[in-house]
Amino acid sequence: MALDSKTLGRTGLPLTVLGFGGTALGNMYTAMSEREAIDTLDAAYAAGIRYFDTAPLYGHGLSELRTGGALRRFEDAGVMLSTKVGWRLKPAFGAPTNAGLFQNISAFSRYEDYTYDGVMRSFEESLNRLGLERADILLLHDVDRRNQGDRYSEVFGTAMNGGYKAMLSLREQKLITAIGCGLNEWEACEDFAKAGDFDCFLLAGRYTLLHQESLASFLQLCEQRGIGIILGGPYNSGILATGAVRDAWLHYEPAPRAALDKVAALEAVCRGYGVPLKAAALQFPLHHRCVATVIPGMRNSAETADNLAMLSTPIPVDLWRELKHAGLIDTSAPTPA
């Protein structure tokens, strides 16, 4: 099976419009067995997915180990891979710490290191786990206010003065093709875009059917500079997949009332056209010229098949018109109508 691809900004890298987000491979929320991980990755590949994203943080190395095993099985020159730097791992010598949202993690604890040497070592360690000689995309991970709080400015400075220079060196050595950041805030992405020569950004959950604030400045800047966007979290960590149910999640936390009300309104419009909310949520970001791919997390072959179905669901142009007319999405958001 073949999936359409879009070029990631100025990089020349073709990414399938549906990519594979590797958080589930790190046992996010619930643990996967090795058999389940293998079957899920094989199903994604068989479905035509050729872009895979992972990170040391996900399961404290578990996602990278599982992804690397799959890439060796595939042996496909057309597969594109991104991983991340900033979070490093060390042997736990006991119970691993700071597992966060991940279950049954590897026997390593995590710590931040955005220095030049830290990023170089982090990349080397990732290649070891992946079993690869290089990667296509390298992303600086979690330097945003959500993760750093009051330390944001300090960590941003360390990253730009150290880790960013390491990434430039790796790109010059052709050990990676593109450099960027993987962040949960468009504002932090914009800070980095203005401060350095970044090729792309993995923006998680901040240009979706629920959130379009990034249109006004950040995505305009990306258009001007030819910066590509990998859109993570197209379902906003759950709520745009489940709808406005009682236990819906938004940005990895229980959804507040205002979000539930807005999603209920989005869902009502979609229902009127016989379109699943998930289909509109998955397709919406791809209408922006900077967005090359959407990468929902997938835990099994059924979720892979469901995402493919949502991607191919026909959506009447009048649905987009009604969402804009009702003020439920930004009127300047690129859509077929």
Side-chain angles (χ1 to χ4, degrees):
M1 179 175 179
L3 276 178
D4 290 340
S5 294
K6 290 178 71 174
T7 301
L8 182 65
R10 63 189 181 222
T11 69
L13 294 173
L15 304 185
T16 48
V17 293
L18 181 64
F20 189 98
T23 54
L25 296 177
N27 293 347
M28 189 172 187
Y29 299 133
T30 59
M32 302 174 78
S33 69
E34 290 303 312
R35 182 72 261 165
E36 288 171 327
I38 290 168
D39 290 347
T40 301
L41 284 158
D42 287 354
Y45 182 79
I49 293 172
R50 294 296 183 269
Y51 168 53
F52 296 83
D53 173 69
T54 185
L57 176 65
Y58 305 156
H60 294 197
L62 196 57
S63 177
E64 285 186 321
L65 287 166
R66 288 168 164 173
T67 300
L71 297 186
R72 288 190 295 276
R73 289 197 310 279
F74 302 156
E75 293 184 346
D76 186 336
V79 168
M80 296 287 139
L81 172 80
S82 59
T83 192
K84 305 180 184 72
V85 288
W87 284 108
R88 295 186 63 191
L89 305 174
K90 60 183 178 182
F93 299 115
T97 58
N98 300 323
L101 299 172
F102 300 97
Q103 310 297 316
N104 294 7
I105 61 173
S106 66
F108 290 83
S109 293
R110 71 192 191 198
Y111 66 101
E112 291 181 352
D113 190 346
Y114 297 100
T115 65
Y116 184 97
D117 288 343
V119 164
M120 286 294 194
R121 298 291 77 77
S122 178
F123 181 61
E124 181 179 347
E125 292 157 4
S126 286
L127 292 184
N128 285 337
R129 285 187 290 270
L130 290 160
L132 299 175
E133 296 179 347
R134 67 181 307 278
D136 299 292
I137 304 165
L138 190 63
L139 303 166
L140 195 66
H141 202 187
D142 283 351
V143 185
D144 51 34
R145 291 171 183 84
R146 179 179 180 273
N147 287 282
Q148 303 301 333
D150 293 340
R151 298 179 59 242
Y152 171 71
S153 295
E154 174 191 348
V155 176
F156 180 90
T158 299
M160 285 304 303
N161 292 323
Y164 167 67
K165 294 177 180 178
M167 295 170 77
L168 288 177
S169 176
L170 292 168
R171 188 173 65 180
E172 288 167 4
Q173 296 175 61
K174 301 190 184 306
L175 293 172
I176 49 178
T177 301
I179 65 172
C181 300
L183 308 176
N184 290 279
E185 297 168 358
W186 68 265
E187 297 93 338
C189 288
E190 186 170 288
D191 288 344
F192 278 105
K194 290 178 177 177
D197 179 27
F198 291 95
D199 303 299
C200 59
F201 290 92
L202 197 170
L203 178 61
R206 298 310 190 278
Y207 182 64
T208 67
L209 201 62
L210 191 57
H211 297 298
Q212 299 99 50
E213 294 85 355
S214 55
L215 274 170
S217 58
F218 171 60
L219 288 177
Q220 283 189 22
L221 181 63
C222 290
E223 287 195 73
Q224 294 165 8
R225 298 190 179 180
I227 295 171
I229 298 294
I230 299 158
L231 202 289
Y235 301 134
N236 282 123
S237 79
I239 194 169
L240 290 176
T242 64
V245 298
R246 180 178 179 181
D247 297 322
W249 282 67
L250 172 66
H251 307 322
Y252 314 109
E253 297 176 350
R257 183 76 257 165
L260 290 168
D261 290 344
K262 184 172 181 181
V263 170
L266 289 164
E267 202 168 9
V269 173
C270 290
R271 192 182 304 115
Y273 290 90
V275 172
L277 176 67
K278 285 182 71 174
L282 196 62
Q283 293 184 38
F284 168 75
L286 287 166
H287 293 301
H288 197 288
R289 62 183 297 183
C290 291
V291 177
T293 183
V294 290
I295 54 166
M298 291 176 265
R299 328 188 148 267
N300 51 52
S301 57
E303 289 190 3
T304 300
D306 183 58
N307 281 314
L308 287 165
M310 295 302 102
L311 191 66
S312 61
T313 297
I315 298 180
V317 294
D318 284 346
L319 182 148
W320 303 116
R321 291 193 184 103
E322 185 168 340
L323 289 177
K324 288 183 176 181
H325 181 74
L328 291 171
I329 61 174
D330 194 305
T331 55
S332 67
T335 61

